[in-house]
Amino acid sequence: MLGQMQDWPLLVHKIIDHAALYHGDREMVTREVAGPITRTNYRTIASRARRVAKALVKAGIKNGDRVGTLAWNTHRHLETWYGIAGMGGVYHTLNPRLHPDQIAWIANHADDKALFFDTTFTPIVEQIAPKLKKVKFFVALTDKANLPKTKLKKLYAYEDFIARVDDKFEWKELGENAACGLCYTSGTTGNPKGVLYSHRSNVIHALMAGQTDALGVSGKDTILPIVPMFHANAWALAFTAPMIGAKLVMPGAKLDGASVCELLETEKITMSAAVPTVWLGLLQYLEQTGKTLPHLKRVVIGGSACPRSMIEAFETKYDVEVVHAWGMTEMSPLGTLGSLKWHLADLPYEEKLDIKIKQGHPPFGVEMKIVDDKNKELPRDGKTFGRLKVRGPAIAKGYFKGDGKSSFDKQGWFDTGDVATLDKDGYMTIVDRAKDVVKSGGEWISTIDIENLAVGHPAVAEAAVIGVAHPKWDERPLLIIVLKPGKTATREDILKFLEGKIAKWWMPDDVVFVDEIPHTATGKILKTALRERFGHHKLPTA
Ligand code: ADP
């Protein structure tokens, strides 16, 4: 027997219609790529999104076509997303931090039919344009006055493109399983793989994210999504914020400590989300200037492991709650969030920190388990670690065009490639990425644990650990350090600081100092580059 409830498809553009109708005056602020701070609201965004949709149809974009975006977080980028999704197209976020050849490869693999871009990226677009096989036209996300001088053909200024039509556009009637968005994983090994979100997965993910124990946002919040829209749906904020009527502040191209701090102050931001490297920049800026964070209440930190010292600095120095989160592009991306459960709220602060540095517990809609090499489920005892597998309505069931089949098993589980523990309370801890873990004498050493401890040293800005070949132990950890500007520390200082904090056999065999640690396009430590550079480092123990 079937239920008798309405078959109301979960469609992304219904979110912006809801926002326009019920939160129409709620402000959205953008630091424009051209410089000034501008203000709009959800009513206007929804109207302009319909213009985008109508203009795309007029320009020949069809149902299911992918439309690339190479853009910062701005109101125009958001309008573009909703407009593309609402006319039946697929917004395809391209990561501008990738090498231009890789961007072109991804745009071609996705068969992008048009490309919207911020003027910052004009040189990239000029470089890749001759290689883009399917792109019929380009739209620079600006007005005519700010259009860059360029030889690009078939180029519109966004404001002209949407002025060619009015906002009388009926959203396409789509099934909720229709494709809506596309985002490629950064592919530190092998070619990037596409994750094709559906309207349904995006809406469910936005609902999940909006829960109090997830992102914990409400319509009263002013949210600064620093995490880029090209980094897996801006962690749901591009959908959740309009859904609940929160004020959105879009940071544009400037993500350095001073610029972020300025927006936090002037717009009285209450909640924000970003990867640890961005927060590192802000904390260093605060330290240098003596500024505080009087309005900010909560930050979500994820994308790579958040060090204990970072949580402690936010919470004890600046009175800002930290929610540590873990996720993946393949998971839309949120997988776990570290809000404290009811029975842990009254623990002494140090014990709370022990829990907050874990990656968190899954919201409804994310199933998790850990397995051994034979795919046998392992106990949830907080100690045993294994490969983390996940399943749920906002998790990929395959990659675009059938790539990467081996990551999905017959029971519908996706292998995250992470090694993790699960504890009895449901908190998950990432031990490492399976390919990064140091294999010493048949046992595993977590590079993340050592890195997080090392950055607790007052002179250390950033730390990375890689496995280096060792004649007796196969691999031993090498610790690579970037010092804070003006600070000094020796190899011995660092090792002494780690002593007693980790098992003896986890202690790095050597420490090297570098000016800079390379990062991936999503702000993670680029271990492949470090392995290339230091893979043959001669350990004093070898
Ligand atoms: P990529 O950067 O490879 O394209 P994602 O941005 O989807 O991929 O990153 C997913 C991976 O990032 C996870 O599998 C995990 O290894 C790592 N990651 C994300 N959040 C955290 C976290 N809070 N702690 C540790 N690792 C994390």
Side-chain angles (χ1 to χ4, degrees):
M1 187 160 67
L2 292 176
Q4 290 187 312
M5 308 310 281
Q6 297 184 12
D7 195 5
W8 190 83
L10 303 175
L11 295 169
V12 152
H13 40 275
K14 290 188 181 197
I15 298 175
I16 205 66
D17 279 353
H18 174 87
L21 193 56
Y22 299 106
H23 314 291
D25 293 325
R26 195 65 163 131
E27 221 179 18
M28 174 156 174
V29 179
T30 297
R31 189 198 290 279
E32 299 285 347
V33 173
I37 302 276
T38 60
R39 289 166 197 278
T40 178
N41 60 32
Y42 286 129
R43 190 177 307 109
T44 311
I45 300 261
S47 151
R48 285 162 58 90
R50 281 175 197 268
R51 283 174 180 262
V52 172
K54 197 164 180 173
L56 284 171
V57 173
K58 186 172 170 173
I61 299 297
K62 304 251 165 6
N63 209 22
D65 279 352
R66 274 76 67 197
V67 177
T69 68
L70 194 63
W72 299 109
N73 292 5
T74 66
H75 68 94
R76 290 193 182 106
H77 194 182
L78 196 77
E79 292 157 12
T80 303
W81 272 25
Y82 281 104
I84 295 168
M87 57 73 57
V90 177
Y91 63 84
H92 172 207
T93 47
L94 291 153
N95 186 334
R97 294 182 186 133
L98 293 171
H99 189 278
D101 287 347
Q102 212 170 12
I103 298 175
W105 185 92
I106 293 173
N108 281 332
H109 189 267
D111 298 316
D112 287 348
K113 295 280 167 58
L115 180 60
F116 286 61
F117 66 97
D118 269 320
T119 52
T120 331
F121 308 124
T122 309
I124 300 179
V125 178
E126 283 170 338
Q127 194 180 335
I128 65 176
K131 296 182 192 150
L132 299 178
K133 297 178 192 135
K134 304 272 175 69
V135 169
K136 295 181 195 157
F137 60 93
F138 298 90
V139 180
L141 290 156
T142 187
D143 52 17
K144 195 175 252 142
N146 288 296
L147 205 57
K149 276 207 177 59
T150 165
K151 293 207 177 76
L152 268 179
K153 294 199 185 73
K154 288 176 266 169
L155 171 70
Y156 299 95
Y158 177 82
E159 293 301 332
D160 292 346
F161 184 69
I162 66 170
R164 306 197 315 154
V165 293
D166 60 28
D167 69 354
K168 307 282 171 296
F169 181 83
E170 295 290 327
W171 296 130
K172 277 275 161 60
E173 285 195 20
L174 302 163
E176 64 179 14
N177 285 309
C180 174
L182 179 63
C183 183
Y184 280 66
T185 61
S186 51
T188 38
T189 54
N191 276 332
K193 293 189 276 294
V195 181
L196 189 60
Y197 308 114
S198 63
H199 279 264
R200 175 186 148 86
S201 70
N202 273 347
V203 173
I204 291 177
H205 182 253
L207 288 167
M208 264 162 54
Q211 296 176 83
T212 309
D213 286 325
L215 295 179
V217 285
S218 95
K220 298 184 195 75
D221 274 305
T222 299
I223 302 176
L224 177 73
I226 304 176
V227 51
M229 289 166 73
F230 58 75
H231 193 181
N233 287 321
W235 301 355
L237 289 169
F239 301 123
T240 303
M243 196 178 249
I244 60 176
K247 173 174 160 181
L248 264 182
V249 179
M250 299 300 232
K254 291 190 168 166
L255 308 179
D256 59 286
S259 306
V260 167
C261 188
E262 187 195 336
L263 284 180
L264 293 175
E265 267 174 17
T266 54
E267 297 301 326
K268 300 190 169 60
I269 310 290
T270 57
M271 186 272 182
S272 184
V275 294
T277 36
V278 165
W279 296 125
L280 195 71
L282 176 72
L283 290 173
Q284 279 179 5
Y285 177 76
L286 294 175
E287 237 177 82
Q288 283 156 12
T289 56
K291 286 183 189 266
T292 57
L293 301 169
H295 310 291
L296 192 61
K297 293 199 182 74
R298 187 178 327 104
V299 288
V300 176
I301 306 182
S304 38
C306 176
R308 188 184 185 99
S309 52
M310 184 172 280
I311 302 181
E312 216 174 349
F314 268 116
E315 298 200 331
T316 60
K317 269 199 204 156
Y318 302 106
D319 199 20
V320 174
E321 183 195 354
V322 172
V323 177
H324 186 191
W326 164 88
M328 302 184 78
T329 305
E330 290 87 338
M331 302 178 75
S332 294
L334 296 174
T336 55
L337 295 118
S339 56
L340 282 182
K341 294 195 171 183
W342 64 277
H343 61 296
L344 306 169
D346 296 327
L347 288 176
Y349 186 62
E350 283 300 317
E351 285 173 46
K352 274 192 202 170
L353 266 182
D354 293 340
I355 294 158
K356 292 184 108 155
I357 56 166
K358 298 181 177 200
Q359 273 70 11
H361 53 94
F364 175 75
V366 177
E367 279 184 64
M368 311 203 301
K369 67 175 180 182
I370 46 170
V371 299
D372 65 14
D373 286 343
K374 298 195 180 73
N375 205 22
K376 194 174 129 272
E377 188 166 350
L378 295 167
R380 296 166 189 255
D381 59 10
K383 288 196 294 280
T384 313
F385 47 83
R387 287 184 86 97
L388 181 63
K389 290 194 158 191
V390 294
R391 174 163 97 161
I395 298 172
K397 65 175 175 189
Y399 289 106
F400 191 46
K401 295 188 172 171
D403 291 336
K405 284 208 173 74
S406 60
S407 299
F408 303 88
D409 71 19
K410 287 201 184 72
Q411 291 73 39
W413 293 90
F414 166 65
D415 186 335
T416 61
D418 284 334
V419 175
T421 64
L422 296 171
D423 72 16
K424 63 176 182 5
D425 291 321
Y427 286 85
M428 183 272 285
T429 304
I430 295 280
V431 174
D432 226 326
R433 282 204 137 179
K435 55 182 189 284
D436 292 338
V437 82
V438 178
K439 295 176 189 89
S440 171
E443 299 285 345
W444 287 1
I445 298 175
S446 159
T447 61
I448 294 184
D449 274 8
I450 306 175
E451 288 159 5
N452 284 347
L453 275 175
V455 293
H457 187 288
V460 173
E462 213 180 357
V465 173
I466 56 164
V468 170
H470 190 282
K472 180 162 174 212
W473 302 107
D474 280 342
E475 274 185 351
R476 290 294 302 157
L478 169 71
L479 175 57
I480 300 160
I481 297 276
V482 179
L483 291 172
K484 286 183 184 164
K487 295 276 165 79
T488 51
T490 62
R491 174 186 186 276
E492 284 65 36
D493 295 335
I494 304 286
L495 290 177
K496 191 136 192 263
F497 178 78
L498 294 179
E499 243 168 48
K501 297 189 174 85
I502 46 173
K504 256 206 182 102
W505 64 276
W506 278 36
M507 285 292 286
D509 282 26
D510 205 0
V511 181
V512 292
F513 295 87
V514 294
D515 292 337
E516 211 182 334
I517 283 176
H519 290 104
T520 69
T522 47
K524 288 163 224 231
I525 293 172
L526 189 58
K527 298 243 167 139
T528 43
L530 289 176
R531 280 194 283 265
E532 250 168 54
R533 180 168 165 199
F534 291 106
H536 299 292
H537 180 81
K538 189 144 177 31
L539 296 171
T541 52

